[in-house]
Amino acid sequence: PALTAAFYTPLATNYVDGARLLIGAANGLYESANRGDTVVQIATTAVNAFRGDPLVYGIVGNADFILAGSGTGIFRRTTSGGALSSIATLPATVIDVDADPDNAANLFGMTSTTVHYSNNSGTSFAAITGNLITAFSPGSLRTMAFVPGTDDALVVAADRGVYVSFASGGFSVWQRLGTGFPNAIVFELEYDRTDNVLVAGTLGRGAWILSPLVLSDNLFRNGFE
């Protein structure tokens, strides 16, 4: 069927092949292998919109991998032409999802108040919200980005601020990330591995970068610009 436009349409470029595009339309999920010249509906699942763009498309070694949030559910596809299958249900609407690009066993899901982690390919998810809400009062959680490294990190942005946790702490011990960031809602986070840059898009305060992204268990030495 023809793609039905949505007021806001989540998009994801493939992590492995930049010519491939994933489109969260109003009537389901569409895939393109040629930069959007032609599209094919691969599922009737409607991806949640307006917050976080809960789509992951492609990981190292598997360009057909998809992770998506719809309603309170997390859905996954692992093979070309395979089904988009439900793997988990979170306690509220799924705001964002992410995956370790080097290890598809490590998956993340987020609601507006909770963060969840699976280290077994989605068989089970554990809450890793930890001290994020109680220590920082960030408001609604809105977007997240996984940052691979010597000590893998998960970065979460909210109504007020950007925060980070590390694999060494089970991704459940949070601290504020960077300095000099405006007190503004963050709608989108993206991490570029090649340039080691974290980009944050805000409501009314423009786009900000943290570069180089220095990961440690201390405060980051670099501020947002």
Side-chain angles (χ1 to χ4, degrees):
L3 185 153
T4 300
F7 178 77
Y8 176 84
T9 303
L11 301 171
T13 305
N14 194 278
Y15 185 82
V16 179
D17 180 358
R20 297 178 63 168
L21 182 67
L22 202 59
I23 305 169
N27 62 327
L29 196 58
Y30 284 75
E31 187 174 23
S32 173
N34 52 14
R35 302 175 180 86
D37 291 341
T38 58
V39 297
V40 176
Q41 188 187 51
I42 60 171
T44 57
T45 304
V47 177
N48 295 337
F50 296 105
R51 289 190 187 183
D53 280 354
L55 281 177
V56 173
Y57 188 26
I59 58 172
V60 173
N62 185 1
D64 297 307
F65 178 88
I66 293 173
L67 194 69
S70 178
T72 59
I74 297 177
F75 294 77
R76 182 184 59 194
R77 186 190 76 174
T78 57
T79 59
S80 177
L84 189 70
S85 303
S86 174
I87 60 170
T89 300
L90 298 190
T93 300
V94 178
I95 301 301
D96 205 359
V97 295
D98 213 339
D100 181 342
D102 300 315
N103 183 358
N106 296 323
L107 306 176
F108 300 87
M110 187 175 75
T111 74
S112 63
T113 58
T114 59
V115 189
H116 303 263
Y117 168 53
S118 172
N119 61 2
N120 53 20
S121 301
T123 300
S124 61
F125 278 81
I128 55 170
T129 315
N131 64 326
L132 179 58
I133 305 298
T134 56
F136 300 104
S137 299
S140 293
L141 308 180
R142 292 184 174 270
T143 179
M144 65 179 171
F146 179 83
V147 180
T150 304
D151 191 4
D152 294 336
L154 184 67
V155 181
V156 167
D159 288 348
R160 295 180 291 275
V162 184
Y163 308 89
V164 63
S165 63
F166 296 93
S168 57
F171 295 110
S172 62
V173 180
W174 296 87
Q175 59 181 293
R176 191 176 293 273
L177 173 61
T179 59
F181 194 73
N183 186 21
I185 292 173
V186 179
F187 277 129
E188 188 67 49
L189 284 175
E190 290 290 342
Y191 174 68
D192 183 275
R193 189 172 189 173
T194 301
D195 294 328
N196 192 27
V197 171
L198 180 71
V199 183
T202 71
L203 174 63
R205 296 298 298 273
W208 295 70
I209 64 170
L210 185 59
S211 173
L213 191 54
V214 182
L215 292 180
S216 71
D217 58 359
N218 300 310
L219 291 178
F220 287 71
R221 73 183 186 207
N222 297 89
F224 278 94
E225 299 176 351

